[in-house]
Amino acid sequence: MPGTIQSIERAAAMLRLLGSAGRPLALTEIAAPLDLPRPTAHGILRTLRAVGFVDQDRDTARYTLAAALRRLGSEWDRHDLRSRAMNWADSLAGSSGQEVLLGMPAGAVVELVHHVFRPDGSPQRLRTGEQLPLHATAVGRCLLALAPIAVPRPHELDLQRYTGRTVVAVGTLTEHLAAVRHRGWAAELGEHRTGVGGIAAPLRTGGGLVVGVLGVEGPVEELFNGGGTPHPRLVEQLLNAAREISAGLGGSR
Amino acid sequence: MPGTIQSIERAAAMLRLLGSAGRPLALTEIAAPLDLPRPTAHGILRTLRAVGFVDQDRDTARYTLAAALRRLGSEWDRHDLRSRAMNWADSLAGSSGQEVLLGMPAGAVVELVHHVFRPDGSPQRLRTGEQLPLHATAVGRCLLALAPIAVPRPHELDLQRYTGRTVVAVGTLTEHLAAVRHRGWAAELGEHRTGVGGIAAPLRTGGGLVVGVLGVEGPVEELFNGGGTPHPRLVEQLLNAAREISAGLGGSR
DNA sequence: AAGGACGTTCGACATGGTCGAACACAGGGT
DNA sequence: ACCCTGTGTTCGACCATGTCGAACGTCCTT
């Protein structure tokens, strides 16, 4: 049974030490707890600095963990959510007959991290990476209402008009968001693209934190009945998928 | 000028690759882009797995970034906030003449990551690490109102009574939280400890995310006037310090 | 059954990592 | 001003450790 690579183990121990320290550490404060000679510790730190995992303060010569390590984690968050949700998203497109969107908050927009084509073979464009307005889409509304910390507040948004139906009054939008909070899901009828509507439900991790949103999008007349209410079966399918995905993230609805 | 440690550089490159991949990767999918022979790549992965930075799926043998890397980042978040806020917290204790608390959400409580003594030389105990109830303290109220995603909802809390003034009705608490949202800061008069009150303001990162809370605590009669309203100058000092800390976190009020 | 792809182990070997000695610099004390 | 101490960094001898070709075992496809 082959062993492990000592220098890599030492580097990892160093990163853990820096991660759990309450402040930037000096070389001797790193070498001593790890029982390493100073030049050995210095060589490892120099390498970690070169690869961008550790920063060194120019004046004090003290070392801290670098932001690159944090970025490593959040990039993985995005892909982690995608990999955990895509099977359910695919399945939802099949059962609903509509296209399905998986989104995450990204500043003043919602960014699609996964997109499933409407399964009718019609010509479609892959929308992964697309950024949608928060106020005029169901996925965006869902985040505005249920992840208010992760996105700007309604009055901070540039409420641009996309169609004749787009809500651009803060007061009206705020009322809609209150309804979303009450129901637990969001809806939108032709506000972003004429004739196209959507519904959306939040994805939560443990502790209830909303980290993403699952949405169904399609022609208004297929998603909604005459009174502007989505078909109950469709809402049920959406909420069920969102619930399953959330459970897989350590959360629930 | 000495060089860097090759094996550590290779390990870092591997972590970056796994971090930016959209899915778990097989050994060959890791070795090829890095131009490493498979046994070399395997040795590095085996080590990264041993130190807890990489996970390997038992069935598929594919590799992914491990949660330990994410934890490294969030531990640093705690200490990062502390190091960025402590100067302002110290200064606020000096200008207000009261003890100052710096807290972060921690499940169903707010945990103090920094505590500044009341600067009058009276006997005091260091409270760093102490966990305070969300519903009965100003720092907790602030998180309940302004970081609702990071903490449980009011009706999910165990509304324990600490003094005769503690609010233990969900409805009343919810009204208080609405007032906090309206004002942008929280207050508490003798609800956690008899005769002791506090006020608190949120600390935000870029995007408005509330990640912590700054609070002032002291005798009720020193912080509040007869009508139960905090002295305006004290609120101003608190909000100014919170604003400065938030700016340093890439955020604003 | 044969072949190919891939994860993992083995072990020879050479090179890359280690680390004692030395240097440079800063700060404090006399 | 000089000396001492502490600490970050460099140098280079040396050998231990990391590398990697060959081989093995497993799984999948034809």
Side-chain angles (χ1 to χ4, degrees):
Chain A
M1 177 61 184
T4 50
I5 299 173
Q6 180 180 234
S7 55
I8 292 174
E9 283 187 311
R10 284 174 166 174
M14 213 169 272
L15 291 173
R16 285 187 191 278
L17 181 63
L18 284 168
S20 61
R23 55 194 172 82
L25 295 180
L27 173 68
T28 50
E29 295 175 300
I30 296 168
L34 300 178
D35 202 27
L36 294 175
R38 281 182 298 149
T40 306
H42 185 253
I44 295 170
L45 281 165
R46 185 174 52 223
T47 304
L48 290 173
R49 192 178 53 181
V51 300
F53 283 1
V54 163
D55 286 331
Q56 183 180 26
D57 185 272
R58 184 190 306 259
D59 300 322
T60 62
R62 286 169 173 262
Y63 299 89
T64 57
L65 277 190
L69 264 186
R70 207 125 10 119
R71 265 198 299 273
L72 214 49
S74 51
E75 272 184 66
W76 177 253
D77 278 346
R78 181 163 301 240
H79 298 297
D80 188 36
L81 179 68
R82 181 168 178 268
S83 65
R84 287 167 184 274
M86 65 198 295
N87 284 341
W88 288 102
D90 294 352
S91 175
L92 180 59
S95 58
S96 67
Q98 310 294 342
E99 62 182 296
V100 170
L101 312 176
L102 178 68
M104 287 183 82
V109 295
V110 50
E111 179 172 330
L112 300 185
V113 298
H114 189 58
H115 170 233
V116 191
F117 287 164
R118 179 185 170 94
D120 63 357
S122 57
Q124 295 173 63
R125 173 181 54 90
L126 191 63
R127 297 171 64 187
T128 304
E130 186 173 313
Q131 303 190 325
L132 303 180
L134 291 169
H135 69 288
T137 60
V139 286
R141 286 259 178 88
C142 200
L143 293 178
L144 277 174
L146 300 169
I149 304 297
V151 292
R153 300 176 207 181
H155 70 266
E156 294 171 326
L157 293 172
D158 174 16
L159 300 185
Q160 193 176 338
R161 187 183 296 277
Y162 295 94
T163 72
R165 299 183 63 101
T166 312
V167 173
V168 294
V170 175
T172 313
L173 178 62
T174 303
E175 283 169 20
H176 282 224
L177 298 185
V180 173
R181 279 187 214 105
H182 183 251
R183 293 186 309 235
W185 49 267
E188 169 259 316
L189 291 78
E191 294 188 48
H192 184 226
R193 291 197 285 171
T194 303
V196 177
I199 58 174
L203 304 176
R204 298 175 189 269
T205 62
L209 181 73
V210 172
V211 294
V213 57
L214 183 68
V216 174
E217 198 171 282
V220 167
E221 68 274 7
E222 291 187 24
L223 270 62
F224 299 87
N225 62 30
T229 306
H231 297 303
R233 176 143 181 75
L234 185 60
V235 174
E236 188 189 334
Q237 287 168 332
L238 171 70
L239 291 178
N240 183 59
R243 199 155 29 229
E244 293 291 338
I245 294 169
S246 296
L249 297 173
S252 62
R253 187 185 159 268
Chain B
M1 178 62 183
T4 50
I5 300 173
Q6 179 180 236
S7 55
I8 292 174
E9 281 185 315
R10 285 173 165 175
M14 214 170 269
L15 291 173
R16 285 186 192 280
L17 181 63
L18 285 168
S20 62
R23 56 194 173 83
L25 295 180
L27 173 68
T28 49
E29 294 174 301
I30 296 168
L34 299 178
D35 202 27
L36 295 175
R38 284 180 298 146
T40 307
H42 185 252
I44 296 170
L45 282 164
R46 184 173 53 224
T47 305
L48 289 174
R49 192 178 53 182
V51 301
F53 283 0
V54 163
D55 287 330
Q56 183 180 25
D57 186 273
R58 184 191 306 258
D59 300 322
T60 63
R62 284 169 176 264
Y63 299 89
T64 57
L65 276 190
L69 263 186
R70 206 119 17 113
R71 266 197 299 271
L72 214 49
S74 49
E75 273 184 66
W76 176 253
D77 278 346
R78 180 164 301 241
H79 299 297
D80 188 35
L81 179 68
R82 181 168 178 269
S83 65
R84 286 166 186 276
M86 65 197 296
N87 284 340
W88 287 103
D90 293 353
S91 175
L92 180 59
S95 58
S96 67
Q98 310 294 343
E99 63 182 295
V100 170
L101 311 177
L102 177 68
M104 287 181 81
V109 294
V110 50
E111 179 172 334
L112 300 185
V113 299
H114 188 57
H115 171 233
V116 192
F117 287 163
R118 179 184 170 96
D120 63 357
S122 55
Q124 295 174 62
R125 172 180 57 87
L126 190 64
R127 298 171 64 187
T128 304
E130 184 174 313
Q131 301 191 327
L132 304 180
L134 291 169
H135 69 288
T137 61
V139 286
R141 288 262 175 83
C142 200
L143 293 178
L144 278 175
L146 300 170
I149 303 298
V151 292
R153 300 176 207 178
H155 71 267
E156 295 172 324
L157 292 172
D158 173 18
L159 300 185
Q160 194 175 340
R161 188 181 295 275
Y162 295 94
T163 72
R165 299 184 64 103
T166 312
V167 173
V168 294
V170 174
T172 313
L173 178 62
T174 303
E175 284 168 18
H176 282 225
L177 299 185
V180 174
R181 280 186 212 106
H182 183 251
R183 292 185 309 235
W185 49 268
E188 170 259 314
L189 291 77
E191 293 188 48
H192 183 224
R193 291 197 285 171
T194 303
V196 177
I199 59 174
L203 304 177
R204 299 174 188 270
T205 64
L209 182 72
V210 173
V211 293
V213 58
L214 182 68
V216 173
E217 198 171 282
V220 168
E221 67 274 8
E222 290 187 23
L223 269 61
F224 299 86
N225 63 29
T229 305
H231 297 306
R233 175 143 181 77
L234 184 60
V235 174
E236 188 189 334
Q237 288 169 332
L238 171 70
L239 290 178
N240 183 60
R243 198 156 29 229
E244 292 293 338
I245 296 169
S246 296
L249 298 172
S252 61
R253 187 185 163 272

